[in-house]
Amino acid sequence: MRSVASPPHPPVPVVALAGNPNAGKTSLFNALTGQSQHVGNYPGVTVDKISGFAAVDGHQLEIVDLPGTYSLTAYSLEEVVTRDFVLKNKPDVVVDVVDSTNLERNLYLLLQFQELGVPVVGALNMTDEAEHKGIHIDVPLLSKLLGIPLVQTVGSKGTGKDALLKAVLDVVAARVDTAERHLNYGPELEERHEDVVEALRSDDSFAGKYSLHWTAIKLLEDDADAVAKVKQAHADPERVLSVARRATAWVRKHFGKDPEVVVAEQRYAYIRGALREAVKTDPRPANALDPTDLVDTVILHRYLGVPIFFLAMGALYSLTFLAGSPLSDLVAAGFAWLGRVVTSALPTGVLREFLVNGIIAGVGGVLTFFPIVLLLFLGLSFLEDVGYMARAAFVMDKFLHLFGLHGRSFIPLMVSTGCAVPGVMSARTLVNPKDRALTVLISPLMMCGAKTPVIAMLCAAFFPRHAAILFWIVWLFGWALAFVLGFAFRKTLFRGEDSPFVMELPPYRLPTLRGISQHMWQRSWSYVKKAGTFILASSMVIWALLNYPKTEHETQEHAAKVAAVDTRAADALAAPGLSPKLRAHIEADRNAAIRAIDTEQRMQVARESLAGRVGRAIEPITRIAGFDWKLNVALLSGIAAKEVIISTLGILYGVGDMSADAESAAHSPSPLRHRLASDPDYSPVGALALMIFVMVYVPCIATLGVTRKELGSFKWPAFMAAFTLAVAFTLAVLIYQIGRLIV
Ligand code: GDP
Ligand code: MG
């Protein structure tokens, strides 16, 4: 076959979505591209840029969702990502998403894009809320005043997206010019500004590459980046910088303020002027209480805020556990049925053993907990979308400071309660490298979606009556330990001051069903996907490691035992005149006996297997914490991913082989927890030590990998693995030894 060269396409125009955090960029992005990226009423969610495609009138457009920023200075990573993208990738159009309920602050960024000289369109988003609040915008007038095309949108519903795309196309086709600056800095500043522009203009090649206006205004603001750029790229930096210095000195003297402040004030003054002309706001009845304020006085209360957060989470976790457990049992029953079907369909042998006690036990064991994980994510998505999480971050800010942690650390920690991998990544929002490394190190101590099933199972097995509350206590313990270790690291490894930050408080919003379900589904789906891929592969490997090497002697011994039982049963059945009932009874007895032999055999083989030998080799040490060789194997394999702990125990106990006790399986469809609870080697005290160990010890490989990537050195994941192991073991030993004395 010969490939035919396709006719060259004109390049697809690139449209960058920018705007303040929470203005609805991602919602609009999803509406335009039909994707379902994480929409969050929560800062720091979209750290990276994401892209997709949209079509209008037969034209293709590439849309890029940028992180939220208030300005284009370089104070935070979001600002740097956005500014770099706009300057280096030169998108054809920037769509600045504006929160119409907060025009004054949002237009600030819009005007900065215009000043930067990039083609820009404003999406006046949250139109529905603005109308609700009685804010009436004369869009054509405002658009004319600013010199920027404006389109009203409702991102969460997709309203106005076509009009927006058309406005974008007009700008792309250069039918509309947005570059002409309407903003005026007032006669005094304008004059200084003109001096600097004049000095810059002396070099033609510089003028060709950079916006002179923007560079000049940045020089007036004394922006380090702009100074560096002039030094590097301008033919006569000395002269330019001396003119700029004279100008800033004049501004400082004349206004008695920092030039940067003066420039910002002038921008705001201009915006306020434009808004006065083009926006009318209904007066609010004097006695009307804003419900947001009312709720916030409680939720953001100085002392109550933090306990409210932990209690709200406790309620969520306990409810999830209570509501999820029966559903979880249903799923377990489903896998039990599957195990029985496969068992009866296949002859005895390695294949059956592999399918039933390798795959079904391993993967099924993990999927059993899916309902709990799903409900948990549902609850978290709701709290996030309703606007609570941003407030929790606000409240926790001060609390985190007590432990020497940055307020922004809350977001990575909270994200880590879903999964530490995105948690570690979201630590990028911390600008200071020390704050960032510190946050990354403590993020894996949270209870993540993978530890959830392990902890839930142990709680249910050993503390059936207080499972829900204990589950929450263990969750709390993760936070507490993160705070304590964070404090210790701050005092030793990362000495220094933590820097303050401003937390956005979005209004409370009734979340949309679509938003929440999308949100929940994204997180839950990755749980299922992981079970079907990574956990499946791990289960196969572990099954093999627990079954081989198998000695000929063991196999023969097993066959002989089974044969003896068979013969005995056959003899009994041969007796004349047996009633059908008695017959069934004898057969049931025989099956039970064979299964008992199977179970014993499985343990025996596992003990002598490769994995079993490793587990037993370290038993002398781990005994101090109450871990026997079986737990050692499970915990070692849990470094791959924490769910694998469940898979390994499931394989060890042969829980896929439901027929092993079909009788009791019918009544207790979650046999792993029953088998653990009835294993004489384990006790509630041991289970507690185990739970804490699981919470703390070595993060999974994915987390270690992303830590290396984010912090740029193998030293960090190595240190992380070492300290978590040391702390986890110490805690487990303390709990086990002290617990044994007390109980
Ligand atoms: P981003 O931070 O700018 O990406 O904002 P998101 O797209 O994550 O949106 C923040 C929140 O505002 C989410 O809860 C959205 O559902 C909600 N939202 C987005 N656009 C609108 C809108 O036009 N009207 C209303 N009422 N809510 C919106
Ligand atoms: Mg976003």
Side-chain angles (χ1 to χ4, degrees):
M1 256 210 324
R2 236 160 44 88
S3 65
V4 182
S6 51
H9 284 293
V12 177
V14 176
V15 180
L17 283 182
N20 289 12
N22 267 316
K25 295 174 297 300
T26 307
S27 302
L28 261 181
F29 175 84
N30 288 343
L32 292 172
T33 63
Q35 289 194 23
S36 50
Q37 293 294 339
H38 191 110
V39 174
N41 205 341
Y42 197 24
V45 171
T46 321
V47 178
D48 256 333
K49 44 185 194 292
I50 300 161
S51 85
F53 289 90
V56 60
D57 290 353
H59 297 270
Q60 277 267 340
L61 294 169
E62 181 176 357
I63 316 277
V64 181
D65 187 20
L66 294 173
T69 55
Y70 295 110
S71 171
L72 292 176
T73 45
Y75 285 133
S76 74
L77 192 85
E78 290 95 332
E79 294 190 355
V80 174
V81 170
T82 300
R83 189 161 99 165
D84 280 1
F85 185 83
V86 170
L87 290 178
K88 298 208 180 102
N89 298 43
K90 296 204 188 304
D92 296 270
V93 180
V94 171
V95 170
D96 183 56
V97 182
V98 169
D99 176 351
S100 305
T101 64
N102 199 343
L103 285 170
E104 192 168 312
R105 200 188 54 204
N106 278 253
L107 291 183
Y108 189 85
L109 183 66
L110 182 68
L111 288 176
Q112 289 206 326
F113 283 115
Q114 185 183 48
E115 288 192 85
L116 200 53
V118 297
V120 63
V121 171
L124 298 181
N125 199 37
M126 309 266 178
T127 304
D128 52 342
E129 276 192 17
E131 267 158 23
H132 191 71
K133 287 193 176 166
I135 301 172
H136 307 288
I137 307 169
D138 183 342
V139 181
L141 177 59
L142 187 60
S143 176
K144 208 169 114 219
L145 289 173
L146 302 178
I148 299 172
L150 299 175
V151 179
Q152 288 190 302
T153 56
V154 180
S156 45
K157 299 204 187 87
T159 316
K161 67 176 181 181
D162 290 333
L164 180 62
L165 287 174
K166 291 217 173 79
V168 166
L169 274 187
D170 281 346
V171 172
V172 171
R175 283 189 287 263
V176 177
D177 178 17
T178 71
E180 194 198 334
R181 174 168 71 101
H182 288 221
L183 187 157
N184 191 300
Y185 285 103
E188 287 141 325
L189 267 187
E190 286 290 340
E191 205 176 301
R192 308 301 124 184
H193 173 256
E194 197 42 49
D195 291 347
V196 183
V197 170
E198 211 42 60
L200 283 168
R201 196 169 282 143
S202 62
D203 177 359
D204 284 344
S205 88
F206 188 91
K209 263 189 289 186
Y210 300 102
S211 154
L212 294 188
H213 161 72
W214 177 254
T215 315
I217 209 73
K218 285 282 134 186
L219 285 176
L220 265 186
E221 287 181 12
D222 215 0
D223 178 276
D225 248 29
V227 173
K229 202 181 290 158
V230 167
K231 278 190 182 148
Q232 183 205 333
H234 201 276
D236 191 1
E238 291 304 313
R239 203 174 82 79
V240 172
L241 293 180
S242 91
V243 172
R245 266 195 301 274
R246 233 177 302 136
T248 49
W250 185 88
V251 172
R252 209 169 259 130
K253 194 158 151 255
H254 188 78
F255 289 91
K257 286 179 202 159
D258 225 30
E260 199 184 344
V261 176
V262 177
V263 169
E265 280 177 356
Q266 291 298 331
R267 281 195 193 119
Y268 274 121
Y270 176 80
I271 293 171
R272 271 196 296 275
L275 291 181
R276 175 148 303 182
E277 290 193 43
V279 177
K280 300 274 164 293
T281 307
D282 295 342
R284 242 204 284 176
N287 59 354
L289 267 179
D290 185 351
T292 293
D293 288 346
L294 206 63
V295 176
D296 276 350
T297 46
V298 179
I299 283 187
L300 301 180
H301 189 272
R302 188 141 36 131
Y303 302 114
L304 294 179
V306 173
I308 287 177
F309 168 69
F310 284 116
L311 283 176
M313 287 299 153
L316 173 62
Y317 270 69
S318 300
L319 275 177
T320 302
F321 189 87
L322 292 176
S325 294
L327 296 173
S328 196
D329 285 350
L330 276 180
V331 180
F335 279 105
W337 172 82
L338 189 64
R340 275 198 296 276
V341 168
V342 176
T343 305
S344 54
L346 293 176
T348 322
V350 176
L351 179 66
R352 185 171 101 176
E353 184 61 23
F354 173 70
L355 285 179
V356 174
N357 283 324
I359 292 179
I360 296 179
V363 177
V366 170
L367 284 182
T368 295
F369 291 92
F370 181 60
I372 294 185
V373 172
L374 189 81
L375 287 176
L376 196 57
F377 287 154
L378 173 72
L380 289 174
S381 303
F382 177 82
L383 288 179
E384 195 178 315
D385 286 3
V386 101
Y388 178 67
M389 281 306 174
R391 285 173 170 75
F394 181 87
V395 165
M396 292 295 283
D397 177 37
K398 286 195 207 79
F399 191 67
L400 288 165
H401 277 292
L402 291 180
F403 294 91
L405 293 169
H406 191 279
R408 276 204 176 202
S409 298
F410 174 76
I411 295 157
L413 291 176
M414 197 61 221
V415 174
S416 293
T417 65
C419 175
V421 172
V424 165
M425 288 203 287
S426 67
R428 285 185 204 165
T429 51
L430 291 135
V431 202
N432 179 326
K434 278 184 182 173
D435 289 339
R436 196 165 152 214
L438 177 54
T439 307
V440 167
L441 282 182
I442 58 176
S443 289
L445 298 168
M446 299 291 117
M447 164 115 67
C448 66
K451 291 177 199 168
T452 300
V454 186
I455 306 297
M457 195 263 297
L458 290 171
C459 285
F462 292 95
F463 305 90
R465 282 197 296 152
H466 308 288
I469 204 97
L470 188 63
F471 187 51
W472 173 58
I473 293 175
V474 177
W475 178 87
L476 262 183
F477 171 84
W479 283 91
L481 191 66
F483 291 156
V484 171
L485 287 180
F487 187 71
F489 287 146
R490 172 64 84 196
K491 290 281 169 239
T492 52
L493 286 176
F494 306 103
R495 279 166 203 272
E497 276 301 297
D498 41 9
S499 39
F501 85 120
V502 180
M503 188 73 223
E504 254 308 276
L505 290 180
Y508 290 104
R509 292 203 175 91
L510 199 63
T512 58
L513 201 59
R514 192 167 138 246
I516 293 197
S517 51
Q518 239 181 29
H519 221 137
M520 170 185 83
W521 186 244
Q522 273 159 15
R523 293 163 162 181
S524 313
W525 175 239
S526 66
Y527 185 86
V528 175
K529 212 166 65 183
K530 192 169 164 201
T533 52
F534 192 78
I535 308 293
L536 176 66
S538 311
S539 297
M540 292 182 184
V541 173
I542 287 156
W543 177 84
L545 290 175
L546 280 171
N547 272 282
Y548 297 97
K550 205 183 256 179
T551 61
E552 191 57 31
H553 173 70
E554 281 169 341
T555 317
Q556 277 169 7
E557 200 183 15
H558 177 243
K561 279 186 192 162
V562 171
V565 170
D566 259 345
T567 326
R568 228 183 309 131
D571 284 351
L573 287 172
L578 287 180
S579 69
K581 203 172 154 197
L582 204 51
R583 214 163 245 291
H585 193 73
I586 294 171
E587 270 170 23
D589 263 1
R590 177 193 56 192
N591 292 344
I594 291 180
R595 275 155 217 146
I597 293 168
D598 280 350
T599 309
E600 197 184 319
Q601 151 90 357
R602 188 178 306 109
M603 270 307 166
Q604 188 58 30
V605 170
R607 235 179 104 80
E608 299 298 331
S609 70
L610 215 58
R613 280 179 218 173
V614 174
R616 281 188 299 140
I618 55 174
E619 215 180 36
I621 303 169
T622 60
R623 269 270 167 238
I624 318 172
F627 305 156
D628 66 351
W629 67 272
K630 287 174 284 183
L631 293 181
N632 290 347
V633 173
L635 291 170
L636 279 174
S637 56
I639 296 175
K642 295 281 151 70
E643 299 101 321
V644 178
I645 296 175
I646 294 204
S647 308
T648 307
L649 290 172
I651 294 168
L652 262 167
Y653 284 92
V655 294
D657 195 0
M658 281 311 138
S659 52
D661 45 347
E663 287 271 275
S664 68
H667 302 294
S668 55
S670 175
L672 181 55
R673 65 166 198 249
H674 290 281
R675 291 197 201 182
L676 281 176
S678 58
D679 189 324
D681 289 345
Y682 306 136
S683 62
V685 168
L688 207 57
L690 179 60
M691 277 192 252
I692 296 302
F693 188 83
V694 169
M695 279 297 287
V696 181
Y697 91 114
V698 188
C700 66
I701 356 181
T703 303
L704 293 173
V706 75
T707 299
R708 196 206 72 81
K709 219 171 108 202
E710 293 294 310
L711 298 185
S713 146
F714 277 108
K715 168 182 102 179
W716 289 114
F719 173 66
M720 200 182 225
F723 92 79
T724 49
L725 185 62
V727 172
F729 192 68
T730 311
L731 288 172
V733 169
L734 284 175
I735 294 172
Y736 185 64
Q737 296 300 345
I738 295 174
R740 271 199 326 172
L741 291 180
I742 297 172
V743 182

